[in-house]
Amino acid sequence: MSSASEAATIRQHPDYEPALQLLRSADLPISDLTEAHLRHFFYIGSPNAPVGLVGIEFHGSDALLRSLVVAPECRSRGVGTQLVAHAEEYARDHGAVAVYLLTNTAERFFRARGYVTASREYAPVAIKETPEFSSLCPASSAFLSKRLGVIPSARRNGGRVSAETLNVKLRAVSLRFCSTS
């Protein structure tokens, strides 16, 4: 990449060993990663030498963004921003309405991209049960979240949402926020 404004090609499903090597270089957790996890990982660079990497794990309508890493020589060039935006769009397109993450070092980076501090106590159960949340990332890690703005079916239908889909979504929101029980 020659400039921050130049968009890099983002590819899906990096090669296993080179991905692990890049994650190890940043001291990110890898003990739970399998080849299957990497189907939802994206990278910039060559398959055998990625310079940036990020993954998404789906847990119902929630997603866990994990393992964002950019090689030191490629930082401050927009690689991380491009990868996160791509992962968010992928998550949204696959039905996620919120993205969660844990970080020890990149809280400021994610806040600048719309993430807010979330209470670990109120994390969705499926997110709490992930190895990252329950054991791999320390309790001192920042826990952040971001709501994804577009109803997934709207993106697939050129921005149009059927009345039935919208009513179901609105009923679910009303029940969630207006319940008296």
Side-chain angles (χ1 to χ4, degrees), residues 127-175:
I127 299 295
K128 282 183 180 179
E129 292 174 346
T130 65
E132 292 76 22
F133 192 98
S134 62
S135 62
L136 294 177
C137 295
S140 60
S141 298
F143 181 56
L144 304 173
S145 69
K146 183 176 183 178
R147 301 296 294 171
L148 301 176
V150 177
I151 297 171
S153 58
R155 183 179 277 310
R156 287 188 289 277
N157 295 321
R160 295 181 304 277
V161 180
S162 71
E164 180 181 336
T165 299
L166 188 55
N167 284 333
V168 167
K169 299 275 184 192
L170 289 175
R171 272 196 301 270
V173 169
S174 295
L175 291 172

Side-chain angles (χ1 to χ4, degrees), residues 3-180:
S3 73
S5 61
E6 182 182 339
T9 300
I10 297 175
R11 295 177 179 91
Q12 190 170 354
H13 199 167
D15 290 348
Y16 187 70
E17 285 304 321
L20 292 185
Q21 184 176 353
L22 183 59
L23 293 167
R24 272 190 216 103
S25 75
D27 293 324
L28 290 172
I30 60 168
S31 63
D32 66 319
L33 281 180
T34 65
E35 184 71 39
H37 283 101
L38 295 184
R39 288 185 308 210
H40 302 291
F41 271 62
F42 304 94
Y43 68 99
I44 291 176
S46 70
N48 60 350
V51 297
L53 182 73
V54 69
I56 286 284
E57 287 183 14
F58 292 99
H59 301 279
S61 62
D62 296 313
L64 181 67
L65 187 124
R66 64 172 292 170
S67 305
L68 174 65
V69 60
V70 176
E73 67 274 13
C74 295
R75 292 183 185 155
S76 300
R77 296 185 188 178
V79 172
T81 298
Q82 289 178 51
L83 285 167
V84 169
H86 187 85
E88 289 171 355
E89 183 176 345
Y90 180 81
R92 185 183 299 112
D93 287 349
H94 286 80
V97 296
V99 175
Y100 297 87
L101 65 91
L102 293 141
T103 183
N104 294 322
T105 59
E107 185 174 0
R108 199 162 114 196
F109 172 86
F110 285 107
R111 285 182 176 283
R113 283 142 192 87
Y115 286 80
V116 297
T117 301
S119 170
R120 290 174 77 104
E121 178 182 355
Y122 297 112
V125 171
I127 299 295
K128 282 183 180 179
E129 292 174 346
T130 65
E132 292 76 22
F133 192 98
S134 62
S135 62
L136 294 177
C137 295
S140 60
S141 298
F143 181 56
L144 304 173
S145 69
K146 183 176 183 178
R147 301 296 294 171
L148 301 176
V150 177
I151 297 171
S153 58
R155 183 179 277 310
R156 287 188 289 277
N157 295 321
R160 295 181 304 277
V161 180
S162 71
E164 180 181 336
T165 299
L166 188 55
N167 284 333
V168 167
K169 299 275 184 192
L170 289 175
R171 272 196 301 270
V173 169
S174 295
L175 291 172
R176 194 176 309 145
F177 293 109
C178 300
S179 179
T180 57

